[in-house]
Amino acid sequence: MPPALSPLAVLAYLLMFVGLIGSVLPLVPGPLLIWLGVLLWAANDGFQSVGWPTLLFLGILTLLAWSSDLLLTTVFSRRMGASWKAVLGAIVGGLAGGLLLGGWIPIVGTLLATILGAIAGMVAVEAMDKRDLRVALRATQGYMVGVLASSLLEATLAIAMILIFLWQAFL
């Protein structure tokens, strides 16, 4: 029987909700927040409904989601000719955009500032490195395809994690 609506259960649900939203927002570790929410919920339930095998499986999905973000953006960028410096430029630009500019406009502003920062960082570094704006834009296109693919995969895994939790906890 699932736990009553205790403060820990409410916090667990909140973590899962923020994690679900965060699965499509840059800089928010969505699947990790979902996993932490499930862990908190399971601990509050005494691990009766959701046990360690489920938590382990959800942990594997969390690692898969996290690694897919790094892997897909890097692979697509590199296939389109981006240098490692340009990938690093995108990461630094995305972090700078999200942290410095994103706070002014909640959620949507953070998303846009992170994406625009990543694009600007990659284009700037690649254009300086290769001295060809066309090559820089092509590499950035590959980066954006990788970001979209990893976001889609991360959102899919986050939804799967929530569904597995619901199945284990309530069915």
Side-chain angles (χ1 to χ4, degrees):
M1 181 57 114
L5 208 51
S6 70
L8 285 177
V10 171
L11 180 58
Y13 292 132
L14 183 62
L15 281 170
M16 286 185 255
F17 177 73
V18 171
L20 189 58
I21 300 298
S23 69
V24 293
L25 293 177
L27 302 177
V28 179
L32 178 61
L33 293 176
I34 292 170
W35 185 83
L36 289 172
V38 173
L39 176 64
L40 183 61
W41 191 94
N44 189 49
D45 182 44
F47 299 97
Q48 296 300 309
S49 299
V50 178
W52 288 108
T54 300
L55 288 166
L56 178 62
F57 182 70
L58 293 179
I60 291 168
L61 292 181
T62 300
L63 289 174
L64 179 63
W66 175 76
S67 63
S68 73
D69 186 30
L70 297 174
L71 181 68
L72 290 175
T73 54
T74 303
V75 166
F76 277 98
S77 298
R78 297 287 292 154
R79 290 188 105 199
M80 296 296 272
S83 66
W84 287 106
K85 290 183 267 186
V87 173
L88 182 61
I91 292 168
V92 171
L95 287 171
L99 295 174
L100 299 176
L101 303 174
W104 295 351
I105 305 170
I107 301 177
V108 174
T110 302
L111 179 63
L112 289 175
T114 302
I115 291 170
L116 292 176
I119 291 170
M122 179 168 263
V123 169
V125 170
E126 195 68 10
M128 286 188 299
D129 189 44
K130 303 270 175 54
R131 302 200 188 284
D132 187 346
L133 183 60
R134 219 178 286 205
V135 171
L137 292 174
R138 181 169 162 80
T140 304
Q141 179 185 9
Y143 175 79
M144 292 310 300
V145 169
V147 167
L148 290 173
S150 69
S151 292
L152 180 62
L153 179 59
E154 189 171 328
T156 302
L157 290 172
I159 291 168
M161 290 172 71
I162 296 288
L163 292 174
I164 291 167
F165 162 74
L166 292 172
W167 170 54
Q168 291 291 301
F170 299 105
L171 297 179

